[in-house]
Amino acid sequence: MTEQALVAKAVEQAREEGRKAALATVVRVRGSAYRREGAKMLIDENEVLTGMISGGCLERDVAEVAKQVMESGTPVLKTYAMDEDVVWGLGLGCPGTVDIYIEPVPGKYLGKDRRRGDANVSHITF
Amino acid sequence: MSRTLPFDAWLDCVENEQEGVLATALQEGESNKAGRIFFSKEGQSVGTLGDLSLDKQAEEIAVRKLHELNPKSESVTLIDEAGQEADIFMDVYVPPSTLLIFGAGHDAIPVAKHGASLGMRTIVVDPRPAYNNEERFPEAHRVIADSVKFKEKVHISSRTYVVVMNHHLERDQETLKFVLRSSAPYVGVLGPRSRRIRMMEAIEGEGVEFEEEQLAKMYSPIGLDIGAVTPEEIAISILAEIIAVKTGHKGGFLQGAEHIHQVAK
């Protein structure tokens, strides 16, 4: 299964089980970065991560931001300038700047199961 | 589908392995107003970016991307009706490519295995059930068919990457007649150049002709030049070549290269 499919499946599961979750997407890359635009990671309320948005440098911090996003219900666009070794102090040396969009995943929906292709499903999410 | 949410439409498109583009206005806060629109390849759209002009521009970009062989997701800055700049993330979903392997010999096993691990829909075609079975190819779909049945049983699209490795001249020739005239962007043929020339001469001797571009997608000898010897190494060499063709890269060493990823067009 591709990563996009894994993340999409994790979104569905979190919804079905009524877990809160946030979706992080790499939306802009300048310079070098391990993951490119479109890479996604789902973070659920238990801090279970699905997918990768970097080579391991950003996942923890993004998960922290994701918690706030789940809490507040408002998306955050965060820029990581990875050439600032100071920030990481680890000398990871991924010399790029990455923008990550972190948004709450819509949790509930009303009506029939949308996967049955019903065109008149109404939702109470954004 | 007009009342479905764009995000749900995106989930559906991934789940059903269809192409689609999800355009998202990158704005912080006020999630209730977060503009978003989804475009399917069939030209349907769900949602809005909150501005008709933005929707129209996003649609143009989406349509263009959906017609590219290897489209990339990217952020674009558009101007809305009020003349304000808006950052929109165009997220392109392209379903997994298909790896179509002709020949179920022992050396096809690692090709199928690695292909599946790359997330490719992997199909093995071979008329011999003793070879082409689940035990040998657990991750692959298997099609038991000889060349007479190809048209009926084997579907090839512009995202189907073909590997011809029957270890059998006649079967390879029949396969080539079928796959070279298909819309597959890549046809890799196992074996040395001399063998390929011999096969192509035999096929032409039958009066079958190919167009220039059909011949141009034939890669033979197959694989990147990494000195592969074992079936496992050869599988890596073949799949590395397929990735390179798919992404429009040249293969070879990155050492000394200016860019790792291709610069977006």
Short mmCIF file of all heavy atoms in Angstrom, two decimals, chain A residues 2 4-5 8 11-12 15 23 25-28 33 36-38 40 73-77 101 103 105-106 114-115 119 121-123 125-126, chain B residues 1 3-5 7-8 10-12 14-15 24-32 34 36 73-75 77 87 89 91 93 96 119 260-261:
data_model
loop_
_atom_site.label_atom_id
_atom_site.label_comp_id
_atom_site.label_asym_id
_atom_site.label_seq_id
_atom_site.Cartn_x
_atom_site.Cartn_y
_atom_site.Cartn_z
N THR A 2 0.48 2.25 -0.75
CA THR A 2 1.27 3.47 -0.78
C THR A 2 1.04 4.28 0.49
O THR A 2 0.07 4.05 1.22
CB THR A 2 0.87 4.36 -1.98
OG1 THR A 2 -0.50 4.71 -1.83
CG2 THR A 2 1.06 3.64 -3.30
N GLN A 4 0.12 7.40 0.84
CA GLN A 4 -1.12 8.17 0.79
C GLN A 4 -2.30 7.28 1.20
O GLN A 4 -3.18 7.71 1.95
CB GLN A 4 -1.37 8.72 -0.62
CG GLN A 4 -0.27 9.62 -1.15
CD GLN A 4 -0.32 11.04 -0.59
OE1 GLN A 4 -1.37 11.52 -0.21
NE2 GLN A 4 0.82 11.69 -0.51
N ALA A 5 -2.29 6.05 0.72
CA ALA A 5 -3.38 5.13 1.05
C ALA A 5 -3.35 4.76 2.53
O ALA A 5 -4.39 4.67 3.18
CB ALA A 5 -3.28 3.87 0.18
N ALA A 8 -4.71 7.78 4.39
CA ALA A 8 -6.16 7.89 4.19
C ALA A 8 -6.89 6.86 5.04
O ALA A 8 -7.92 7.14 5.65
CB ALA A 8 -6.49 7.70 2.71
N VAL A 11 -6.93 7.87 8.63
CA VAL A 11 -7.94 8.91 8.84
C VAL A 11 -9.31 8.26 9.06
O VAL A 11 -10.03 8.57 10.02
CB VAL A 11 -8.01 9.89 7.65
CG1 VAL A 11 -9.23 10.79 7.76
CG2 VAL A 11 -6.74 10.72 7.55
N GLU A 12 -9.65 7.33 8.17
CA GLU A 12 -10.94 6.64 8.27
C GLU A 12 -11.07 5.91 9.61
O GLU A 12 -12.11 5.96 10.26
CB GLU A 12 -11.08 5.61 7.14
CG GLU A 12 -11.01 6.19 5.73
CD GLU A 12 -12.36 6.66 5.24
OE1 GLU A 12 -13.25 6.85 6.07
OE2 GLU A 12 -12.49 6.86 4.01
N ARG A 15 -11.63 8.22 12.52
CA ARG A 15 -13.01 8.70 12.50
C ARG A 15 -13.96 7.65 13.05
O ARG A 15 -14.83 7.93 13.86
CB ARG A 15 -13.42 9.01 11.08
CG ARG A 15 -12.92 10.31 10.58
CD ARG A 15 -13.28 10.39 9.12
NE ARG A 15 -13.43 11.75 8.68
CZ ARG A 15 -13.87 12.07 7.48
NH1 ARG A 15 -14.23 11.14 6.64
NH2 ARG A 15 -13.97 13.32 7.13
N LEU A 23 -3.88 16.22 10.62
CA LEU A 23 -3.14 15.80 9.44
C LEU A 23 -2.08 16.84 9.10
O LEU A 23 -2.38 18.02 8.97
CB LEU A 23 -4.11 15.64 8.26
CG LEU A 23 -3.51 15.16 6.93
CD1 LEU A 23 -2.98 13.73 7.07
CD2 LEU A 23 -4.53 15.25 5.81
N THR A 25 0.80 18.02 6.39
CA THR A 25 1.16 17.85 4.98
C THR A 25 2.32 18.77 4.65
O THR A 25 2.31 19.95 5.00
CB THR A 25 -0.04 18.20 4.07
OG1 THR A 25 -1.17 17.44 4.47
CG2 THR A 25 0.28 17.91 2.61
N VAL A 26 3.32 18.25 3.97
CA VAL A 26 4.41 19.08 3.47
C VAL A 26 3.86 19.86 2.28
O VAL A 26 3.45 19.26 1.29
CB VAL A 26 5.62 18.22 3.01
CG1 VAL A 26 6.70 19.12 2.40
CG2 VAL A 26 6.18 17.42 4.17
N VAL A 27 3.81 21.19 2.40
CA VAL A 27 3.20 21.98 1.32
C VAL A 27 4.23 22.81 0.54
O VAL A 27 3.94 23.28 -0.55
CB VAL A 27 2.06 22.90 1.83
CG1 VAL A 27 0.92 22.06 2.37
CG2 VAL A 27 2.56 23.88 2.86
N ARG A 28 5.41 23.00 1.10
CA ARG A 28 6.43 23.74 0.34
C ARG A 28 7.81 23.37 0.83
O ARG A 28 8.04 23.27 2.03
CB ARG A 28 6.21 25.25 0.47
CG ARG A 28 7.11 26.06 -0.47
CD ARG A 28 6.85 27.54 -0.39
NE ARG A 28 5.72 27.97 -1.18
CZ ARG A 28 4.73 28.75 -0.72
NH1 ARG A 28 4.73 29.13 0.53
NH2 ARG A 28 3.76 29.12 -1.52
N ALA A 33 15.25 18.49 1.18
CA ALA A 33 14.49 17.89 2.27
C ALA A 33 14.22 16.44 1.88
O ALA A 33 14.13 16.12 0.70
CB ALA A 33 13.18 18.63 2.51
N ARG A 36 9.05 15.34 0.03
CA ARG A 36 8.64 16.42 -0.88
C ARG A 36 7.19 16.84 -0.60
O ARG A 36 6.50 16.24 0.23
CB ARG A 36 8.77 15.97 -2.33
CG ARG A 36 10.08 15.29 -2.68
CD ARG A 36 11.29 16.15 -2.39
NE ARG A 36 11.32 17.37 -3.19
CZ ARG A 36 12.23 18.33 -3.04
NH1 ARG A 36 13.15 18.23 -2.09
NH2 ARG A 36 12.21 19.40 -3.81
N GLU A 37 6.75 17.83 -1.38
CA GLU A 37 5.39 18.34 -1.25
C GLU A 37 4.37 17.20 -1.43
O GLU A 37 4.49 16.41 -2.36
CB GLU A 37 5.13 19.42 -2.30
CG GLU A 37 5.87 20.73 -2.05
CD GLU A 37 7.24 20.79 -2.70
OE1 GLU A 37 7.78 19.73 -3.08
OE2 GLU A 37 7.77 21.91 -2.84
N GLY A 38 3.41 17.17 -0.54
CA GLY A 38 2.38 16.14 -0.62
C GLY A 38 2.57 15.03 0.41
O GLY A 38 1.63 14.29 0.71
N LYS A 40 2.59 13.17 3.80
CA LYS A 40 1.62 13.37 4.88
C LYS A 40 1.90 12.52 6.09
O LYS A 40 2.44 11.42 5.98
CB LYS A 40 0.22 13.02 4.38
CG LYS A 40 -0.32 13.98 3.35
CD LYS A 40 -1.73 13.60 2.95
CE LYS A 40 -2.19 14.51 1.83
NZ LYS A 40 -1.40 14.32 0.61
N GLY A 73 -8.78 23.25 17.14
CA GLY A 73 -9.61 23.06 15.95
C GLY A 73 -9.25 23.99 14.81
O GLY A 73 -9.96 24.07 13.82
N THR A 74 -8.12 24.70 14.93
CA THR A 74 -7.72 25.59 13.84
C THR A 74 -6.37 25.14 13.26
O THR A 74 -5.47 24.74 13.99
CB THR A 74 -7.58 27.05 14.31
OG1 THR A 74 -6.66 27.07 15.39
CG2 THR A 74 -8.91 27.60 14.79
N PRO A 75 -6.28 25.24 11.93
CA PRO A 75 -5.03 24.78 11.29
C PRO A 75 -3.85 25.71 11.54
O PRO A 75 -4.03 26.90 11.83
CB PRO A 75 -5.40 24.77 9.79
CG PRO A 75 -6.67 25.49 9.63
CD PRO A 75 -7.29 25.69 10.97
N VAL A 76 -2.65 25.16 11.42
CA VAL A 76 -1.42 25.92 11.61
C VAL A 76 -0.50 25.65 10.42
O VAL A 76 -0.37 24.51 9.98
CB VAL A 76 -0.72 25.49 12.93
CG1 VAL A 76 0.71 26.02 12.99
CG2 VAL A 76 -1.51 25.95 14.14
N LEU A 77 0.11 26.72 9.92
CA LEU A 77 1.12 26.56 8.87
C LEU A 77 2.46 26.86 9.51
O LEU A 77 2.71 27.98 9.94
CB LEU A 77 0.84 27.53 7.72
CG LEU A 77 1.79 27.49 6.54
CD1 LEU A 77 1.75 26.14 5.83
CD2 LEU A 77 1.48 28.61 5.55
N TYR A 101 1.69 22.14 6.80
CA TYR A 101 0.33 22.57 7.13
C TYR A 101 -0.29 21.50 8.03
O TYR A 101 -0.35 20.33 7.66
CB TYR A 101 -0.47 22.72 5.83
CG TYR A 101 -1.85 23.31 6.00
CD1 TYR A 101 -2.02 24.62 6.44
CD2 TYR A 101 -2.98 22.57 5.69
CE1 TYR A 101 -3.29 25.18 6.57
CE2 TYR A 101 -4.26 23.12 5.80
CZ TYR A 101 -4.40 24.42 6.25
OH TYR A 101 -5.64 24.97 6.37
N GLU A 103 -3.58 20.42 10.13
CA GLU A 103 -5.01 20.75 10.23
C GLU A 103 -5.76 19.66 11.00
O GLU A 103 -5.36 18.50 10.98
CB GLU A 103 -5.62 20.87 8.83
CG GLU A 103 -5.52 19.57 8.05
CD GLU A 103 -6.00 19.68 6.62
OE1 GLU A 103 -7.08 20.26 6.42
OE2 GLU A 103 -5.31 19.19 5.72
N VAL A 105 -8.47 16.93 11.62
CA VAL A 105 -9.23 16.06 10.73
C VAL A 105 -10.69 16.10 11.16
O VAL A 105 -10.99 15.90 12.33
CB VAL A 105 -8.70 14.62 10.80
CG1 VAL A 105 -9.65 13.67 10.08
CG2 VAL A 105 -7.33 14.55 10.17
N PRO A 106 -11.58 16.37 10.20
CA PRO A 106 -13.00 16.36 10.53
C PRO A 106 -13.36 15.04 11.20
O PRO A 106 -12.99 13.98 10.71
CB PRO A 106 -13.69 16.46 9.18
CG PRO A 106 -12.66 16.94 8.22
CD PRO A 106 -11.33 16.61 8.78
N ARG A 114 -20.89 7.67 3.70
CA ARG A 114 -20.61 8.35 2.43
C ARG A 114 -20.01 7.39 1.40
O ARG A 114 -20.08 7.62 0.20
CB ARG A 114 -19.65 9.51 2.64
CG ARG A 114 -18.33 9.07 3.11
CD ARG A 114 -17.34 10.18 3.30
NE ARG A 114 -16.13 9.59 3.80
CZ ARG A 114 -15.29 8.91 3.06
NH1 ARG A 114 -15.52 8.76 1.77
NH2 ARG A 114 -14.22 8.36 3.57
N ARG A 115 -19.43 6.31 1.87
CA ARG A 115 -18.78 5.42 0.90
C ARG A 115 -19.79 4.64 0.08
O ARG A 115 -19.47 3.99 -0.87
CB ARG A 115 -17.81 4.47 1.61
CG ARG A 115 -16.49 5.13 1.90
CD ARG A 115 -15.66 4.29 2.81
NE ARG A 115 -16.35 4.09 4.08
CZ ARG A 115 -15.82 3.43 5.09
NH1 ARG A 115 -14.65 2.87 4.98
NH2 ARG A 115 -16.48 3.29 6.21
N ALA A 119 -25.50 10.75 -2.49
CA ALA A 119 -25.18 12.13 -2.81
C ALA A 119 -25.78 13.11 -1.81
O ALA A 119 -25.43 14.27 -1.78
CB ALA A 119 -25.67 12.47 -4.21
N VAL A 121 -25.66 13.09 1.55
CA VAL A 121 -25.13 12.97 2.91
C VAL A 121 -24.87 14.38 3.45
O VAL A 121 -24.31 15.22 2.77
CB VAL A 121 -23.81 12.19 2.89
CG1 VAL A 121 -23.26 12.07 4.30
CG2 VAL A 121 -24.03 10.81 2.30
N SER A 122 -25.29 14.62 4.66
CA SER A 122 -24.97 15.93 5.22
C SER A 122 -23.94 15.77 6.33
O SER A 122 -23.93 14.79 7.05
CB SER A 122 -26.23 16.58 5.76
OG SER A 122 -26.85 15.72 6.68
N HIS A 123 -23.10 16.73 6.43
CA HIS A 123 -21.98 16.64 7.38
C HIS A 123 -22.05 17.79 8.37
O HIS A 123 -22.56 18.85 8.05
CB HIS A 123 -20.66 16.72 6.63
CG HIS A 123 -20.48 15.60 5.66
ND1 HIS A 123 -19.69 14.52 5.91
CD2 HIS A 123 -21.04 15.40 4.45
CE1 HIS A 123 -19.75 13.69 4.89
NE2 HIS A 123 -20.55 14.21 3.98
N THR A 125 -19.22 18.84 9.77
CA THR A 125 -17.82 19.21 9.95
C THR A 125 -17.48 20.31 8.98
O THR A 125 -18.33 20.80 8.27
CB THR A 125 -16.95 17.98 9.68
OG1 THR A 125 -17.39 17.40 8.46
CG2 THR A 125 -17.09 16.99 10.80
N PHE A 126 -16.21 20.73 8.98
CA PHE A 126 -15.85 21.80 8.06
C PHE A 126 -15.26 21.23 6.80
O PHE A 126 -14.91 20.08 6.76
CB PHE A 126 -14.84 22.75 8.72
CG PHE A 126 -13.72 22.06 9.39
CD1 PHE A 126 -12.58 21.67 8.67
CD2 PHE A 126 -13.80 21.74 10.74
CE1 PHE A 126 -11.55 21.01 9.30
CE2 PHE A 126 -12.76 21.08 11.37
CZ PHE A 126 -11.64 20.71 10.65
N MET B 1 -22.40 14.18 -5.99
CA MET B 1 -21.39 14.29 -4.97
C MET B 1 -21.23 15.73 -4.50
O MET B 1 -20.34 16.05 -3.73
CB MET B 1 -20.05 13.68 -5.43
CG MET B 1 -19.35 14.41 -6.57
SD MET B 1 -18.10 13.37 -7.42
CE MET B 1 -16.61 13.66 -6.46
N ARG B 3 -22.64 17.63 -2.40
CA ARG B 3 -22.73 18.03 -0.99
C ARG B 3 -21.69 17.34 -0.11
O ARG B 3 -21.63 17.57 1.08
CB ARG B 3 -24.14 17.77 -0.47
CG ARG B 3 -25.12 18.78 -1.04
CD ARG B 3 -26.49 18.54 -0.53
NE ARG B 3 -26.59 18.77 0.91
CZ ARG B 3 -27.69 18.53 1.60
NH1 ARG B 3 -28.74 18.04 0.99
NH2 ARG B 3 -27.73 18.77 2.89
N THR B 4 -20.89 16.47 -0.74
CA THR B 4 -19.82 15.83 0.01
C THR B 4 -18.71 16.85 0.25
O THR B 4 -18.57 17.80 -0.50
CB THR B 4 -19.29 14.63 -0.78
OG1 THR B 4 -20.39 13.85 -1.18
CG2 THR B 4 -18.36 13.79 0.05
N LEU B 5 -17.94 16.64 1.28
CA LEU B 5 -16.84 17.56 1.55
C LEU B 5 -15.64 17.25 0.67
O LEU B 5 -15.38 16.10 0.35
CB LEU B 5 -16.41 17.41 3.02
CG LEU B 5 -17.49 17.79 4.01
CD1 LEU B 5 -17.07 17.40 5.41
CD2 LEU B 5 -17.75 19.28 3.93
N PHE B 7 -12.54 17.18 1.41
CA PHE B 7 -11.59 16.28 2.07
C PHE B 7 -12.06 14.83 1.96
O PHE B 7 -11.28 13.91 1.73
CB PHE B 7 -11.42 16.67 3.54
CG PHE B 7 -10.38 15.87 4.27
CD1 PHE B 7 -9.03 16.11 4.05
CD2 PHE B 7 -10.76 14.87 5.16
CE1 PHE B 7 -8.06 15.36 4.71
CE2 PHE B 7 -9.80 14.12 5.83
CZ PHE B 7 -8.45 14.37 5.61
N ASP B 8 -13.37 14.62 2.09
CA ASP B 8 -13.92 13.27 1.94
C ASP B 8 -13.80 12.78 0.51
O ASP B 8 -13.56 11.60 0.26
CB ASP B 8 -15.40 13.26 2.35
CG ASP B 8 -15.55 13.34 3.87
OD1 ASP B 8 -14.52 13.52 4.54
OD2 ASP B 8 -16.67 13.23 4.36
N TRP B 10 -11.43 13.55 -1.41
CA TRP B 10 -10.03 13.14 -1.54
C TRP B 10 -9.82 11.73 -0.96
O TRP B 10 -9.18 10.88 -1.57
CB TRP B 10 -9.10 14.15 -0.84
CG TRP B 10 -7.66 13.73 -0.90
CD1 TRP B 10 -6.81 13.87 -1.96
CD2 TRP B 10 -6.92 13.07 0.13
NE1 TRP B 10 -5.59 13.33 -1.65
CE2 TRP B 10 -5.62 12.84 -0.39
CE3 TRP B 10 -7.21 12.65 1.43
CZ2 TRP B 10 -4.62 12.20 0.35
CZ3 TRP B 10 -6.22 12.01 2.17
CH2 TRP B 10 -4.93 11.80 1.63
N LEU B 11 -10.40 11.48 0.22
CA LEU B 11 -10.28 10.15 0.82
C LEU B 11 -10.84 9.09 -0.12
O LEU B 11 -10.25 8.02 -0.30
CB LEU B 11 -11.03 10.09 2.15
CG LEU B 11 -10.43 10.81 3.34
CD1 LEU B 11 -11.37 10.72 4.55
CD2 LEU B 11 -9.06 10.25 3.71
N ASP B 12 -11.99 9.40 -0.72
CA ASP B 12 -12.61 8.46 -1.66
C ASP B 12 -11.72 8.19 -2.85
O ASP B 12 -11.60 7.07 -3.31
CB ASP B 12 -13.95 9.02 -2.16
CG ASP B 12 -15.06 8.83 -1.14
OD1 ASP B 12 -14.86 8.04 -0.19
OD2 ASP B 12 -16.12 9.47 -1.28
N VAL B 14 -8.48 8.39 -3.04
CA VAL B 14 -7.35 7.55 -2.66
C VAL B 14 -7.82 6.11 -2.47
O VAL B 14 -7.21 5.16 -2.97
CB VAL B 14 -6.68 8.06 -1.37
CG1 VAL B 14 -5.58 7.11 -0.91
CG2 VAL B 14 -6.10 9.46 -1.57
N GLU B 15 -8.94 5.97 -1.79
CA GLU B 15 -9.46 4.64 -1.50
C GLU B 15 -9.80 3.88 -2.79
O GLU B 15 -9.55 2.69 -2.92
CB GLU B 15 -10.72 4.78 -0.64
CG GLU B 15 -11.15 3.50 0.03
CD GLU B 15 -12.37 3.74 0.93
OE1 GLU B 15 -12.64 4.92 1.28
OE2 GLU B 15 -13.03 2.77 1.25
N THR B 24 -6.07 23.41 -1.39
CA THR B 24 -6.36 23.92 -0.06
C THR B 24 -5.78 25.31 0.10
O THR B 24 -4.60 25.53 -0.19
CB THR B 24 -5.73 22.99 1.00
OG1 THR B 24 -6.22 21.66 0.81
CG2 THR B 24 -6.05 23.45 2.42
N ALA B 25 -6.61 26.24 0.56
CA ALA B 25 -6.10 27.58 0.86
C ALA B 25 -5.33 27.51 2.16
O ALA B 25 -5.86 27.08 3.18
CB ALA B 25 -7.27 28.55 0.98
N LEU B 26 -4.06 27.90 2.11
CA LEU B 26 -3.21 27.78 3.29
C LEU B 26 -3.40 28.98 4.18
O LEU B 26 -2.65 29.95 4.13
CB LEU B 26 -1.75 27.64 2.87
CG LEU B 26 -1.43 26.39 2.06
CD1 LEU B 26 0.03 26.40 1.62
CD2 LEU B 26 -1.73 25.13 2.86
N GLN B 27 -4.46 28.92 4.97
CA GLN B 27 -4.66 30.02 5.89
C GLN B 27 -4.79 29.46 7.30
O GLN B 27 -5.36 28.40 7.51
CB GLN B 27 -5.89 30.83 5.52
CG GLN B 27 -7.14 29.99 5.35
CD GLN B 27 -8.18 30.71 4.52
OE1 GLN B 27 -9.02 30.10 3.92
NE2 GLN B 27 -8.12 32.02 4.49
N GLU B 28 -4.23 30.21 8.23
CA GLU B 28 -4.28 29.73 9.60
C GLU B 28 -5.54 30.27 10.28
O GLU B 28 -6.05 31.32 9.90
CB GLU B 28 -3.04 30.19 10.36
CG GLU B 28 -1.77 29.60 9.76
CD GLU B 28 -0.55 29.94 10.58
OE1 GLU B 28 0.04 31.01 10.36
OE2 GLU B 28 -0.20 29.14 11.46
N GLY B 29 -5.98 29.52 11.27
CA GLY B 29 -7.13 29.97 12.03
C GLY B 29 -8.42 29.86 11.25
O GLY B 29 -8.44 29.50 10.08
N GLU B 30 -9.52 30.17 11.89
CA GLU B 30 -10.84 30.19 11.26
C GLU B 30 -11.09 28.97 10.37
O GLU B 30 -11.36 29.10 9.19
CB GLU B 30 -11.03 31.47 10.44
CG GLU B 30 -11.16 32.70 11.31
CD GLU B 30 -11.67 33.88 10.50
OE1 GLU B 30 -12.90 33.97 10.35
OE2 GLU B 30 -10.85 34.67 10.03
N SER B 31 -10.99 27.82 10.97
CA SER B 31 -11.07 26.61 10.18
C SER B 31 -12.41 26.47 9.47
O SER B 31 -12.51 25.83 8.43
CB SER B 31 -10.84 25.38 11.07
OG SER B 31 -11.80 25.38 12.09
N ASN B 32 -13.45 27.07 10.03
CA ASN B 32 -14.76 26.96 9.40
C ASN B 32 -14.78 27.59 8.02
O ASN B 32 -15.59 27.26 7.19
CB ASN B 32 -15.83 27.62 10.27
CG ASN B 32 -16.05 26.83 11.54
OD1 ASN B 32 -15.90 25.62 11.54
ND2 ASN B 32 -16.35 27.53 12.62
N ALA B 34 -11.98 27.63 6.11
CA ALA B 34 -10.87 27.10 5.31
C ALA B 34 -11.36 26.68 3.94
O ALA B 34 -12.16 25.78 3.80
CB ALA B 34 -10.21 25.93 6.03
N ARG B 36 -11.44 25.06 0.34
CA ARG B 36 -10.88 23.82 -0.17
C ARG B 36 -11.75 23.36 -1.33
O ARG B 36 -12.97 23.48 -1.29
CB ARG B 36 -10.92 22.80 0.96
CG ARG B 36 -10.19 21.54 0.69
CD ARG B 36 -9.93 20.83 2.00
NE ARG B 36 -8.51 20.71 2.24
CZ ARG B 36 -8.00 20.11 3.32
NH1 ARG B 36 -8.78 19.65 4.26
NH2 ARG B 36 -6.70 20.01 3.44
N SER B 73 2.88 17.56 -6.53
CA SER B 73 2.11 18.46 -5.67
C SER B 73 2.95 19.71 -5.44
O SER B 73 4.16 19.62 -5.33
CB SER B 73 1.83 17.77 -4.32
OG SER B 73 1.09 16.60 -4.52
N GLU B 74 2.29 20.85 -5.33
CA GLU B 74 3.05 22.08 -5.06
C GLU B 74 2.13 23.19 -4.56
O GLU B 74 0.92 23.17 -4.78
CB GLU B 74 3.79 22.57 -6.32
CG GLU B 74 2.84 22.97 -7.43
CD GLU B 74 3.55 23.61 -8.62
OE1 GLU B 74 4.62 24.22 -8.44
OE2 GLU B 74 3.01 23.52 -9.74
N SER B 75 2.75 24.17 -3.88
CA SER B 75 2.02 25.37 -3.48
C SER B 75 2.13 26.40 -4.57
O SER B 75 3.19 26.57 -5.17
CB SER B 75 2.60 25.95 -2.18
OG SER B 75 2.26 25.12 -1.10
N THR B 77 0.91 30.56 -5.70
CA THR B 77 0.33 31.82 -5.22
C THR B 77 -0.56 32.37 -6.32
O THR B 77 -0.11 32.63 -7.43
CB THR B 77 1.45 32.82 -4.87
OG1 THR B 77 2.30 32.21 -3.88
CG2 THR B 77 0.86 34.09 -4.28
N ASP B 87 -2.22 31.80 -1.06
CA ASP B 87 -1.39 30.61 -1.22
C ASP B 87 -2.27 29.37 -1.22
O ASP B 87 -3.04 29.14 -0.28
CB ASP B 87 -0.37 30.51 -0.06
CG ASP B 87 0.79 31.47 -0.27
OD1 ASP B 87 0.97 31.93 -1.42
OD2 ASP B 87 1.50 31.76 0.71
N PHE B 89 -2.37 25.19 -1.82
CA PHE B 89 -1.60 23.95 -1.99
C PHE B 89 -2.36 23.01 -2.90
O PHE B 89 -3.51 22.64 -2.62
CB PHE B 89 -1.34 23.29 -0.63
CG PHE B 89 -0.54 22.02 -0.78
CD1 PHE B 89 0.70 22.03 -1.41
CD2 PHE B 89 -1.02 20.81 -0.30
CE1 PHE B 89 1.45 20.87 -1.56
CE2 PHE B 89 -0.29 19.64 -0.45
CZ PHE B 89 0.96 19.67 -1.08
N ASP B 91 -2.59 19.52 -4.12
CA ASP B 91 -2.14 18.19 -3.74
C ASP B 91 -2.66 17.18 -4.77
O ASP B 91 -3.86 16.96 -4.89
CB ASP B 91 -2.70 17.86 -2.34
CG ASP B 91 -1.95 16.71 -1.70
OD1 ASP B 91 -1.09 16.12 -2.35
OD2 ASP B 91 -2.23 16.42 -0.52
N TYR B 93 -3.13 13.55 -6.26
CA TYR B 93 -3.07 12.12 -5.96
C TYR B 93 -3.06 11.33 -7.26
O TYR B 93 -3.94 11.49 -8.11
CB TYR B 93 -4.26 11.65 -5.11
CG TYR B 93 -4.19 10.15 -4.91
CD1 TYR B 93 -3.26 9.60 -4.03
CD2 TYR B 93 -5.00 9.28 -5.63
CE1 TYR B 93 -3.15 8.24 -3.88
CE2 TYR B 93 -4.90 7.92 -5.48
CZ TYR B 93 -3.97 7.40 -4.61
OH TYR B 93 -3.85 6.03 -4.47
N PRO B 96 -1.35 4.16 -7.58
CA PRO B 96 -0.12 3.42 -7.79
C PRO B 96 0.02 2.95 -9.24
O PRO B 96 -0.97 2.63 -9.88
CB PRO B 96 -0.27 2.20 -6.87
CG PRO B 96 -1.38 2.50 -5.95
CD PRO B 96 -2.22 3.55 -6.58
N GLY B 119 4.90 -0.37 -3.58
CA GLY B 119 3.51 0.08 -3.65
C GLY B 119 2.93 -0.05 -5.05
O GLY B 119 1.84 0.45 -5.31
N ILE B 260 19.00 16.79 -6.30
CA ILE B 260 18.58 15.42 -6.00
C ILE B 260 17.25 15.16 -6.68
O ILE B 260 17.07 14.17 -7.38
CB ILE B 260 18.46 15.20 -4.48
CG1 ILE B 260 19.83 15.35 -3.81
CG2 ILE B 260 17.87 13.81 -4.20
CD1 ILE B 260 19.78 15.30 -2.30
N HIS B 261 16.33 16.09 -6.48
CA HIS B 261 15.00 15.97 -7.08
C HIS B 261 14.95 16.85 -8.31
O HIS B 261 15.62 17.87 -8.38
CB HIS B 261 13.92 16.39 -6.08
CG HIS B 261 13.94 15.59 -4.83
ND1 HIS B 261 13.36 14.35 -4.72
CD2 HIS B 261 14.53 15.84 -3.63
CE1 HIS B 261 13.55 13.89 -3.51
NE2 HIS B 261 14.27 14.77 -2.82
#
